Amino acid sequence: MQVLPRATTPAPMRKRLPIAALAVLAGLSACAGIEPDFRKPGAQRLTGPEVSTLLGGHTLSIVNPRGKSYMNRFSKDGSIVISGAKGNEYGRWTVSGDRYCLTLDVDPRQQCMEIYRLPDGRYQMVNADGTLRNTFQVD
């Protein structure tokens, strides 16, 4: 029986591999430390009346954290149409306290979010658990 030599990584590659791995880990930890815009100085949480005025009768151009774009059309009667790549979704919106609340026809669970005005004029919706839901502009 013939014994074949074991494949080894050339010495220069062995030195670069740990350095590359450390660079990737450093990049990941830097990303984890990025603070969302709504938590930065100058961001202002909207009050209930401000949320009503901002949304009622307006259309929002929205981008979610995954980079998907869609439009929300808010009627003053409380109906909403969400238009995106998958077509339209319909539902109802209200303001409860200082939060915007949404109930979709396809999912009867009410979802409520805070809205923050950013210093650059954009807005962000924040889920009840404190995570960023989306960033938007009013058209």
Side-chain angles (χ1 to χ4, degrees):
M1 173 164 108
Q2 181 180 6
V3 177
L4 298 174
R6 193 174 82 178
T8 61
T9 304
M13 287 298 289
R14 279 183 285 190
K15 290 179 185 174
R16 281 189 228 140
L17 186 59
I19 293 170
L22 288 174
V24 168
L25 288 174
L28 288 174
S29 63
C31 289
I34 295 174
E35 188 172 38
D37 290 338
F38 70 89
R39 289 192 179 142
K40 292 180 180 177
Q44 297 177 321
R45 183 176 170 194
L46 300 185
T47 65
E50 290 171 323
V51 171
S52 293
T53 300
L54 179 71
L55 301 180
H58 295 103
T59 299
L60 311 183
S61 296
I62 297 177
V63 177
N64 70 21
R66 294 177 302 283
K68 303 241 186 236
S69 298
Y70 53 100
M71 305 284 282
N72 283 10
R73 288 187 301 274
F74 293 84
S75 295
K76 289 187 177 187
D77 69 1
S79 62
I80 183 172
V81 179
I82 300 172
S83 303
K86 296 180 182 179
N88 291 339
E89 290 187 39
Y90 302 89
R92 306 285 306 160
W93 71 278
T94 62
V95 175
S96 177
D98 291 334
R99 298 182 311 156
Y100 150 63
C101 297
L102 168 69
T103 305
L104 295 173
D105 292 350
V106 296
D107 182 358
R109 293 175 293 177
Q110 187 178 59
Q111 307 165 52
C112 294
M113 294 140 268
E114 298 173 347
I115 297 180
Y116 289 79
R117 181 182 307 109
L118 305 179
D120 65 6
R122 296 175 304 143
Y123 296 86
Q124 289 187 322
M125 287 185 196
V126 179
N127 293 312
D129 66 2
T131 59
L132 176 65
R133 184 178 186 101
N134 59 51
T135 302
F136 67 92
Q137 295 180 352
V138 179
D139 293 341

